[in-house]
Every structure is written in structure tokens, then in C-alpha cells.
Amino acid sequence: MLNIIKSDLYRIFRGKSLYIVTAIIIFMAVISAITLSPGHIGVAVGTGSTMTDPDTVAKIAEAKTLGEFRDVMKEIGTIKLDAQIIGQNSNLYYFFIVFVVVIITSDFSNKSVKNTLSSAISRREYYFSKLITVIGMGTVLVLFNDFINYVLNYVINGKEFASEIGYITKISLIQIPVVWTLICMLVCIAFFVRKTSVFNTISIPLLMILQVIAVILFAILRETPKWYTDFELQYVLSNMANEPSNSYIIKCFVLSTVYIVAFVTAGYCAFKNAEVK
């Protein structure tokens, strides 16, 4: 198992994908800090922002320069920008896909899995070594993203718009189980489909499609259920950055644990019974 993990880490650090992902994260952090607003891919979920206020929208539309835009954003009120950015960590889902492709589906596409399994490596060792590697890389990526956003926001915008470092650390830690849930879901999908093209086709639009379906459904029902805004994974990440209660954190931990066990079990069973070519 350890040899597989070492091999995958060597491949990741020797390849370009890790450094491209790192560069994109830093670029996004700079843009967010300069514009004083967290970016989001897909249907945004809120962290208490006033960006939808009509007067605010009108002022932003009238801003002709970046300086004027920043002035408008500062007039909105003192915001802890780094916490708001971390609340949109569902963006990192798309970077997790990159790791899953490099570590898992590329082996199936290159047909190297059969050779690995023909040695002294069992399917169980293979599966969990891949899972551990992806989870490890995903965790490091989340922590890097959170603290680079904190540092750049502090440097560019000053202490007024920055949270305490202890609070950022707390948000990062309580978000980890939710992040692992997303990663385990992707790993499960990868071991089910076992082809990079199919995996990308399913995983890339998945979150956005689920969001759009939910928006349409709740628009028809004319009500968004509280259980959805409390426990949908992307809302959970946002809520975790907005001073959640201890009881809410515990409930989310329990739910994440159930999801993780379900995804890990389903993925392993699919791989265990699959015909590897």
C-alpha cells in the first residue's frame, strides 16, 4: 500500500496538474481580495452577503473603475472576506476532480491496474491506497486555499477585512469532514465508471446539475426546505464559515460520516466485483 501511495505522490509532484491547480488558487485568491468579494462556480449559496440588495447592485453597476468598485464594496460594511471565501470552498470540488483523474482513472485508462493487481497487491490495498492519497491531497489543498486567502486578504485589504487566524483555523478544521464527503463521492464514481472520459462527463457538471434541479423544484414548490439549506453539502460549507452552533457542527459531522461510509463501501464493492482489463 505504501509503495502505491509513494508512486502516486511522485507522479503528482512530477506532473503539471498540481502546479496549475496551485496557480489557479492563488490567482482566484488575489482576484477575490482585490474585488473584496468571494467568487463562486455554479449557483451561489449565501454567507450573509448584501450583494443582492438593489441599492448595492445599482452602485456596483455605476462603478467605472476598480477603485470605485472597491469603494462601493467598502461602503457595504466591514466584512470578513477570508471567511466568506472559505464559505465557498465547494469551488475546490473541481480541483479534487483533477486529483482523482491523475491518481485513479488514469490508471484504468492506461490499463496499468491489471499489472498492479497481478503483483502482491490486493484490490483492498489498491483501493484504500488510492482513497488515502486523494483524501490527503484534497485536505492539503483545502488548508492551502484557506490560509493563502487569509494571508493575501490581510496583506491587500488590511486587518479590518480579515478574521482572526484562530477563527480561520477553526473553519478549516470543521469543514474537513464535508470536504472528505465530496472526495469520497468522487472516488466512488471513479471506481464505478473506471474511465476518465466517463468520469469527467459525470463529475464535472454533477454539482451544478443538482443545484439547478433543486432551484427549479423549490421554485415550483415556492419554498426552500430548511433541511436543504441546513444539510446540502455546499450550504454546509457556507454555514460552517458563519459561526455555526456546536449542535449544528455535530449534526453535520454525523451526516458526513454516514455519507463517507456509504461512498467508501459502494466504491470498494464496485471495484471488488469489477472485471479489470
Side-chain angles (χ1 to χ4, degrees):
M1 179 181 291
L2 187 59
N3 289 335
I4 296 177
I5 294 175
K6 288 181 178 179
S7 176
D8 286 331
L9 290 177
Y10 177 81
R11 183 168 44 173
I12 290 171
F13 284 99
R14 290 279 296 185
K16 298 178 181 178
S17 58
L18 175 63
Y19 305 102
I20 293 173
V21 166
T22 302
I24 293 173
I25 286 176
I26 294 174
F27 175 76
M28 291 173 61
V30 171
I31 295 299
S32 294
I34 291 175
T35 60
L36 286 168
S37 58
H40 184 77
I41 301 172
V43 181
V45 295
T47 55
S49 173
T50 59
M51 289 292 290
T52 56
D53 179 74
D55 292 335
T56 300
V57 173
K59 289 180 180 179
I60 291 175
E62 293 172 0
K64 297 179 181 179
T65 65
L66 178 60
E68 291 179 358
F69 179 82
R70 283 176 58 83
D71 289 339
V72 172
M73 296 301 293
K74 289 179 180 180
E75 288 177 6
I76 294 175
T78 302
I79 58 173
K80 300 305 181 182
L81 180 62
D82 40 26
Q84 286 197 357
I85 295 172
I86 294 172
Q88 302 298 330
N89 267 353
S90 55
N91 290 341
L92 299 179
Y93 167 85
Y94 300 95
F95 299 131
F96 300 152
I97 291 174
V98 175
F99 289 139
V100 174
V101 169
V102 173
I103 295 170
I104 300 175
T105 62
S106 62
D107 281 2
F108 287 101
S109 297
N110 297 331
K111 301 185 184 301
S112 62
V113 178
K114 189 172 183 178
N115 291 334
T116 304
L117 295 177
S118 63
S119 61
I121 302 297
S122 68
R123 294 200 180 201
R124 180 179 179 181
E125 289 177 313
Y126 183 89
Y127 177 84
F128 283 100
S129 65
K130 296 292 183 178
L131 177 65
I132 291 170
T133 306
V134 179
I135 287 178
M137 291 301 302
T139 303
V140 171
L141 183 71
V142 170
L143 295 176
F144 173 77
N145 173 77
D146 292 355
F147 288 103
I148 198 67
N149 273 288
Y150 168 79
V151 171
L152 290 175
N153 174 55
Y154 191 97
V155 171
I156 295 174
N157 297 314
K159 186 177 181 180
E160 183 182 10
F161 292 89
S163 305
E164 296 293 332
I165 185 65
Y167 184 63
I168 295 298
T169 303
K170 177 185 175 181
I171 297 174
S172 299
L173 293 177
I174 63 178
Q175 280 189 342
I176 290 299
V178 186
V179 170
W180 286 356
T181 301
L182 289 172
I183 293 173
C184 289
M185 180 184 72
L186 289 172
V187 171
C188 178
I189 295 172
F191 277 101
F192 260 97
V193 300
R194 300 185 298 280
K195 288 185 179 180
T196 299
S197 58
V198 179
F199 173 76
N200 288 337
T201 301
I202 295 173
S203 62
I204 292 175
L206 180 60
L207 287 189
M208 195 174 300
I209 290 173
L210 293 177
Q211 283 182 322
V212 171
I213 292 173
V215 168
I216 294 173
L217 178 61
F218 298 145
I220 295 173
L221 298 176
R222 297 184 180 181
E223 181 182 5
T224 301
K226 190 175 185 301
W227 61 261
Y228 183 79
T229 55
D230 279 349
F231 299 114
E232 191 271 338
L233 291 178
Q234 293 170 94
Y235 271 103
V236 171
L237 288 171
S238 177
N239 295 338
M240 289 292 190
N242 197 28
E243 299 182 356
S245 65
N246 289 335
S247 62
Y248 177 75
I249 294 173
I250 292 172
K251 289 178 182 177
C252 292
F253 281 8
V254 172
L255 182 62
S256 295
T257 301
V258 172
Y259 276 133
I260 289 170
V261 171
F263 286 133
V264 170
T265 303
Y268 175 67
C269 289
F271 180 54
K272 182 180 179 180
N273 299 316
E275 180 182 354
V276 178
K277 299 180 180 179

